Amino acid sequence: MLRRLLISTACLASSTLHAAEPAIELAVTVKAPVSAVWQAWTSNEGITSFFAPEANVEPRPDGPFHIYMDPYGEPSMKGADTMQVLAVEPEQLLSFTWNAPPHLAAARAQRTVVILRFAPEGEATRLTLTHLGWGSNGEWPKAKAYFEKAWPKVLKNLQTRFETGKPHDWTEWREQLKQWHAQEAAKQK
């Protein structure tokens, strides 16, 4: 019941009450058919081709939408560790919960909603991302500002993945993470 209410509220805010609800809204054209872009967002292999080095995604209501930006992190500190899919309309709509980055602990303890809409545009795909559910006090403005910078990078990685035909190479990122975790462990000694 709560999940349905959340989805209804998010959709209503996105369409009808747009001016009253602060949201991040972005749209890009991806040079690939809708089926390919959909697959990129709804499979582990797809997510790791542009978004993060590891993922656990099941495109079904209440399925996991776990995006591991730091696969070496402690549980609940890997990225979007405990997010879940809210709604699925194959090759048209995907919505899921989202959280703030670890350095914004108070905002991270709460959830926002991301809605992706997929539409054919010739032989390409028009992808629209709406991220809403932002509070207005405390760490919320910082969290929103973070994602105003982060989502365009994610979408650019998606476009690049299809423009080049190559998945993102996470080797250098993984090495940086290993070094950072080793330094943090050394500080604890």
Side-chain angles (χ1 to χ4, degrees), residues 105-186:
R108 184 174 177 80
Q110 301 186 61
R111 299 293 179 261
T112 53
V113 175
V114 176
I115 301 167
L116 300 175
R117 294 192 181 277
F118 303 76
E121 191 172 85
E123 294 182 17
T125 300
R126 185 72 172 167
L127 178 70
T128 305
L129 179 149
T130 305
H131 189 170
L132 49 88
W134 304 102
S136 57
N137 297 309
E139 293 178 340
W140 283 114
K142 290 179 185 175
K144 186 171 183 271
Y146 177 90
F147 285 108
E148 286 172 336
K149 292 179 182 174
W151 284 124
K153 292 175 185 176
V154 170
L155 296 178
K156 182 62 179 162
N157 283 351
L158 176 69
Q159 290 174 305
T160 300
R161 185 261 173 269
F162 284 105
E163 288 169 3
T164 65
K166 298 177 186 176
H168 187 81
D169 181 358
W170 295 102
T171 306
E172 185 177 328
W173 175 253
R174 285 179 177 276
E175 276 306 308
Q176 290 174 356
L177 289 171
K178 287 177 185 177
Q179 289 175 11
W180 182 81
H181 282 288
Q183 290 170 352
E184 291 300 305

Side-chain angles (χ1 to χ4, degrees), residues 10-27:
C11 291
L12 181 63
S14 179
S15 61
T16 310
L17 300 176
H18 174 68
E21 174 66 26
I24 297 170
E25 293 189 83
L26 301 166

Side-chain angles (χ1 to χ4, degrees), residues 3-4 7 58-65 84-90 93-96:
R3 186 172 77 66
R4 286 189 188 131
I7 292 169
E58 294 179 25
R60 60 176 172 77
D62 297 323
F65 198 83
Q84 72 179 45
V85 174
L86 295 172
V88 176
E89 189 174 357
L93 172 119
L94 175 68
S95 67
F96 47 88

Side-chain angles (χ1 to χ4, degrees), residues 52-68:
E54 293 183 18
N56 177 18
V57 174
E58 294 179 25
R60 60 176 172 77
D62 297 323
F65 198 83
H66 304 172
I67 309 299
Y68 304 127

